[in-house]
Amino acid sequence: MERKVCILTSGGDAPGMNQCIMAFVRASLRLGLTPIGVYDGLKGLCEWRTRPLDREFTLGLARRGGTVLGTARYEGFLDASVRHRCAEHLKAEGVEAVVMLGGDGTQQAARELDKEGIRTYLIPSSIDNDVPGSEFSLGFFTAVSTVVEAIDRIRDTMESHNRLFAVQTMGRNCPDLALYAGVASGADLVLTQANLPTYEEILARVKALKETGQRSCLIVMSEHLLDGQRLISNLSRDTGWESRLDILGHTQRGGSPSPQDRILAQVFGAEAAERCYHREASGSLGIRAESVVNSPFDVDNIRGLAPRSTKLVLEAERKAR
Ligand code: F6P
């Protein structure tokens, strides 16, 4: 008897979703499952807009940004009767499990569908990096690279004109995108939900930098934090620094995924297929264990501590066979 497993992408698209679909389809086929692609996220699931997925469908997906299955932000799924109807339909179709790629909203949806008796697995996918249960979400590292690249370009013109720039990133209510990109690009100030000084404190910092003879100044800030235009206008007025605001926008969501996200996608996709195969309990996949440690130079001791990324890549390679 066919063992049908669905995969969908929901909420904001994230780089790496396509490779994850690829990995899921290939692993599912290897395990004898029947993978079904659902168009346009939860909306497509409720409307049962699907297609069977074969190996040919996966060709060329690794490098593509966005999601080839399409995605949507679907409010309808908040309605319990809609979810119930959807689950009943899935049961009638003989669907065993649904794998969802998405952020925290999708995680809630996966939990609700599980309560209706459909096994669900969430693969954390969001440039915001705000999905509980995982230190990193699919697409986050690519977005950080995209933002850093954009800031590097802004820095060229900022330094040429001796200006103050504030660059606003996406991230919804999560500080990570601004934080990682700000640190990576050597920003003078990174303003996030987790670190929001008063205007006077910001001004004091900017003035202090100017007094050191610094000719330009870079502030990186999260969205939904404060009025960026007002901030730079006030700083311009109070420091005499000519200022500009750059809101990066949707460019941060697009683009070919970074190798790091592709590997993560590969690991998550194959793992989800295995969970479906073994009929494991519903849940949210995740990556954990980031911390700085000090290892003694003792060779025997240190040899056993393989770099984590190596482990991840080895696992990805094994599961892609
Ligand atoms: O969740 C991803 C994200 O890109 C957020 O960073 C941003 O606030 C939001 O989506 C933008 O959503 P939309 O594409 O619907 O305007």
Side-chain angles (χ1 to χ4, degrees), residues 77-78 129 183 211 246 284-286 308 321:
F77 212 73
L78 297 173
N129 206 37
V183 171
E211 278 158 20
D246 253 71
S284 205
L285 304 190
R308 189 168 62 99
R321 275 179 220 158

Side-chain angles (χ1 to χ4, degrees), residues 21-31 35 55 58-60 320:
I21 295 166
M22 178 192 99
F24 175 76
V25 171
R26 291 183 180 184
S28 295
L29 294 172
R30 174 169 49 80
L31 294 165
R55 196 169 174 99
T58 68
L59 300 180

Side-chain angles (χ1 to χ4, degrees), residues 205-219:
R205 172 88 181 122
V206 171
K207 272 185 171 166
L209 289 171
K210 201 159 195 249
E211 278 158 20
T212 66
Q214 191 168 310
R215 284 152 53 87
S216 57
C217 179
L218 174 67
I219 299 174

Side-chain angles (χ1 to χ4, degrees), residues 129-176:
N129 206 37
D130 62 350
V131 189
S134 188
E135 282 174 356
F136 297 111
S137 306
L138 198 55
F140 172 64
F141 289 115
T142 306
V144 171
S145 296
T146 304
V147 174
V148 170
E149 196 183 319
I151 292 177
D152 285 350
R153 287 166 197 263
I154 289 170
R155 194 180 267 288
D156 286 345
T157 173
M158 175 186 89
E159 289 176 353
S160 303
H161 284 262
N162 306 324
R163 283 173 170 163
L164 178 148
F165 260 82
V167 177
Q168 184 183 299
T169 69
M170 278 189 169
R172 208 177 288 274
N173 298 313
C174 182
D176 285 12

